[in-house]
Amino acid sequence: MIIRELCVENFTEIPRAVQAGVERIELCDNLAVGGTTPSYAVIQQANEFIEQNDSKTILAVMIRPRGGDFVYNSYEAKIMENDVLKAVEAGAQNLVFGALTAENTIDIDLIETLMVASQGIPVTFHMAFDAISADQQTEAIDQLVELGVDKILMHGAALDQALPHDKIKSLVAYAAGKIKIIIGGGVTFDNYENLSELTGTNFVHGTKIIK
């Protein structure tokens, strides 16, 4: 079974997503910059709508204080920690975040802090992963496994390039049995089944994953 994750901006698309029966929703704000943290009220309302409609859809919430790079200072780190706590309180069932050092390696200290704040709910490390150099990505996968991360969202290249399915297939094979890989970026209703087959993952993500 292919697990479709629809990326939505604010609450407006939640009813359509639930009606379509998507398996997962990634809820964020400000998609123009790649997504930032939605408000407490939006998370809460999305969760209530899913519950009221007896949906099995999983609500995953983006935690990202701003657009731009994924290197965060101490103030931004504190914002992220507090946003994680509030997202869990508001009903998030999964969380989506990522953080890197200035050298584009996993910011282990910050991810550890955010994992504690997540209180055991599943976490996806988002497309910050694509900024890690290719020769360090298997090591990064091992680090995320050690940190307790459940999934990694990746495109495998710059977003203006086609999804490199051979490269991702090798990472999916490496990660097998340890952590799940979600593919995103140019993944749509029309091509997700083919891309799932080509990459070997059954997790797909996009803003156009349903008609």
Side-chain angles (χ1 to χ4, degrees):
M1 176 183 177
I2 298 177
I3 309 300
R4 301 163 299 163
E5 180 174 85
L6 181 68
C7 179
V8 305
E9 184 176 48
N10 220 299
F11 177 79
T12 52
E13 290 185 79
I14 295 291
R16 183 173 75 96
V18 169
Q19 184 177 18
V22 295
E23 290 74 29
R24 292 172 58 86
I25 293 171
E26 183 192 73
L27 177 62
C28 61
D29 196 8
N30 202 7
L31 277 177
V33 297
T36 56
T37 309
S39 75
Y40 182 95
V42 168
I43 301 168
Q44 188 175 57
Q45 187 61 61
N47 178 58
E48 285 182 7
F49 185 91
I50 290 168
E51 288 185 345
Q52 288 167 1
N53 285 272
D54 296 321
S55 174
K56 294 182 173 60
T57 300
I58 297 296
L59 181 65
V61 175
M62 168 76 79
I63 304 295
R64 188 178 176 212
R66 56 164 172 77
D69 65 26
F70 306 103
V71 182
Y72 300 111
N73 62 37
S74 60
Y75 302 105
E76 292 168 328
K78 190 63 179 177
I79 290 168
M80 293 174 76
E81 183 181 6
N82 287 332
D83 276 342
V84 165
L85 293 169
K86 287 298 183 182
V88 173
E89 181 183 300
Q93 296 167 299
N94 282 206
L95 293 167
V96 183
F97 52 72
L100 302 175
T101 67
E103 293 75 36
N104 282 338
T105 60
I106 304 292
D107 186 339
I108 291 175
D109 289 343
L110 178 50
I111 298 300
E112 280 183 338
T113 297
L114 298 180
M115 292 300 293
V116 172
S118 299
Q119 301 166 62
I121 71 172
V123 167
T124 298
F125 191 92
H126 60 45
M127 283 187 185
F129 188 86
D130 288 334
I132 300 169
S133 65
D135 63 345
Q136 294 181 302
Q137 287 184 341
T138 54
E139 180 183 359
I141 287 173
D142 292 338
Q143 290 173 331
L144 292 173
V145 170
E146 184 68 23
L147 287 162
V149 173
D150 185 61
K151 302 175 189 69
I152 303 170
L153 173 62
M154 65 176 70
H155 177 68
L159 284 172
D160 61 355
Q161 299 176 18
L163 190 141
H165 46 80
D166 286 341
K167 173 187 175 182
I168 291 180
K169 185 174 184 178
S170 69
L171 291 174
V172 169
Y174 182 82
K178 298 184 286 188
I179 194 168
K180 304 174 188 73
I181 304 296
I182 309 175
I183 52 171
V187 182
T188 69
F189 175 82
D190 294 318
N191 66 19
Y192 77 81
E193 290 179 309
N194 184 49
L195 290 174
S196 170
E197 184 176 354
L198 288 171
T199 58
T201 180
N202 63 331
F203 285 86
V204 297
H205 165 102
T207 59
K208 299 176 181 177
I209 213 76
I210 60 173
K211 281 189 173 179

